[in-house]
Amino acid sequence: MTVTLALTTSAADPEWEEAYEGLAFSAFALATQADDPELGKLATEVRGLLGDWEQVEGDRRRARADAIAARAHVAVADAALDLALTRIAEAILAETSGSREHGLYRRFFPEPHERVIALGLDAELPIAAAAMAQLDEGEAVPDALKAYVETLRRCLAMGNASLGARAECYANLGRLESRVEAWLETADATTRNVHGDLTRIADERGLPYHWVASFFSR
């Protein structure tokens, strides 16, 4: 059984989009005064920060897509392992006339196999690995079970690989979260600095505050 994990970063928060839109508004407004050296310098500064946003946003989308793909791989690996363990349990029960107390069944499934299959892939893999060890003994298991050796081996490899990929994807999302927070902090500081510079310019040129406010969306 696969447990679905939510994919969340602060990049999904409205603050992320609002910060971008606010800076984009300022960049376009400042660009209308590109022939003014002081305002042109501010426009360049803001455009650079917008470029950083676009880089983070592109990485965010790719990271989320990778994480969704990893979840899908885990789901498929989990289903494949569930099926393999079910087939092994059925083969064992056929050998033991349906007895779950028989030593052969207990060697593979210390608890009912239905409970094992209901576990998430993370918890199911160690039990499957122990079953693999039993199958690898060869002569110690009935021939009917030997047919599942390669199937279970492939399922174990698939399961471990998919969990490893998912862990890496979620680590990437965590690192991305830090980049998002850093950008938001820089964007806030830049907005305040630009506002301060425009206020100074307005004072020096005798311009009303309405002129300063026109460069900001809010």
Side-chain angles (χ1 to χ4, degrees):
M1 181 182 73
T2 300
V3 177
T4 299
L5 299 176
L7 300 179
T8 58
T9 72
S10 64
D13 190 280
E15 181 184 9
W16 175 248
E17 293 292 339
E18 290 173 3
Y20 172 80
E21 290 180 8
L23 281 175
F25 183 98
S26 296
F28 286 122
L30 290 166
T32 66
Q33 309 297 313
D35 57 341
D36 185 309
E38 288 191 282
L39 272 61
K41 181 179 179 181
L42 293 177
T44 298
E45 180 182 359
V46 174
R47 282 198 304 271
L49 192 55
L50 290 176
D52 293 340
W53 185 95
E54 291 168 358
Q55 180 64 53
V56 174
E57 175 66 6
D59 291 344
R60 180 183 75 87
R61 291 184 180 277
R62 284 187 290 274
R64 287 175 63 83
D66 289 345
I68 292 169
R71 282 174 49 203
H73 294 166
V74 167
V76 171
D78 185 60
L81 184 58
D82 287 349
L83 181 59
L85 291 177
T86 297
R87 294 289 183 262
I88 290 171
E90 290 172 348
I92 292 173
L93 290 172
E95 292 287 329
T96 65
S97 300
S99 172
R100 296 178 179 229
E101 300 302 320
H102 193 282
L104 180 61
Y105 183 90
R106 301 290 290 180
R107 279 170 55 196
F108 281 83
F109 301 104
E111 58 182 321
H113 66 275
E114 293 90 351
R115 291 178 60 85
V116 174
I117 291 168
L119 296 172
L121 183 61
D122 309 62
E124 194 173 338
L125 278 173
I127 299 171
M132 188 74 250
Q134 293 291 333
L135 290 175
D136 278 338
E137 290 184 11
E139 295 180 1
V141 296
D143 289 341
L145 294 182
K146 295 178 183 178
Y148 297 99
V149 171
E150 292 308 316
T151 297
L152 186 57
R153 200 185 309 280
R154 286 195 300 271
C155 288
L156 282 167
M158 185 189 306
N160 283 312
S162 64
L163 288 181
R166 187 182 68 179
E168 180 59 28
C169 286
Y170 277 90
N172 286 339
L173 286 174
R175 289 188 286 269
L176 180 63
E177 175 76 6
S178 297
R179 290 175 61 194
V180 167
E181 293 299 330
W183 186 91
L184 288 171
E185 291 176 1
T186 301
D188 181 63
T190 298
T191 299
R192 286 186 279 106
N193 288 340
V194 170
H195 186 277
D197 289 340
L198 289 172
T199 300
R200 173 186 54 77
I201 292 170
D203 290 341
E204 292 173 352
R205 300 179 184 182
L207 299 172
Y209 181 75
H210 176 70
W211 178 82
V212 175
S214 71
F215 292 97
F216 300 92
S217 61
R218 54 194 173 94

